[in-house]
Amino acid sequence: MRRLRPRVASPSQVREIVSDVSLAPIRAKSKVYILDRVDLLGTQAANAFLKTLEEPVPGVVFILLGRTREGVLPTIVSRCQVVPFRHIPAREAAGILSQKVGVTSE
C-alpha cells in the first residue's frame, strides 16, 4: 500500500505512482493506493493521474480522500464512486467500538 500526500505532491510524484501501478504486485493479489487530500492536487498532478483512472489496471484500487468533492477536478470525480464520510469525535468512536465488539476505553 502506498500513500501520497498531495500537499507536497508534484506531477512527477503522481507519475511515479502511475508507473508503479502497471507493475505486478509482489506479495499480494492486488495493490491499494491511498491518495490523501486529493482536493489539494494541482491541475498538472491531477491530469497526470487522470489517464490511470480512465483506464484502470485490474487488481488496483485507489482510495482518494478529500475534504470536499468540489475541490477535486470534475473529471476525476466523474470516474470515482463517492463515499461521504463525516468526522466523529473520539468519544463517540470509542462508544461505537464498545457497542459493536465489546472493547472498553480503559
Side-chain angles (χ1 to χ4, degrees):
M1 180 171 10
R2 293 189 62 184
R3 187 173 182 150
L4 175 66
R5 296 182 186 275
R7 285 178 204 182
V8 295
S10 66
S12 63
Q13 288 172 312
V14 171
R15 281 189 212 99
E16 180 185 327
I17 285 184
V18 167
S19 67
D20 186 69
V21 164
S22 62
L23 302 174
I26 295 172
R27 296 184 200 164
K29 294 180 182 179
S30 61
K31 290 182 172 184
V32 176
Y33 296 86
I34 300 173
L35 282 75
D36 193 7
R37 293 302 309 270
V38 173
D39 51 323
L40 297 178
L41 278 177
T43 303
Q44 281 187 324
N47 284 328
F49 180 61
L50 191 56
K51 184 164 175 73
T52 301
L53 284 178
E54 290 172 338
E55 300 170 9
V57 176
V60 174
V61 175
F62 289 101
I63 299 173
L64 311 179
L65 305 172
R67 294 219 174 139
T68 65
R69 182 186 325 192
E70 294 75 27
V72 180
L73 201 62
T75 49
I76 288 180
V77 173
S78 71
R79 287 159 178 80
C80 296
Q81 178 179 350
V82 177
V83 179
F85 290 95
R86 66 179 177 89
H87 176 76
I88 61 172
R91 184 170 290 194
E92 184 178 341
I96 292 168
L97 284 173
S98 178
Q99 257 185 337
K100 299 286 184 184
V101 293
V103 175
T104 63
S105 59
E106 296 171 1

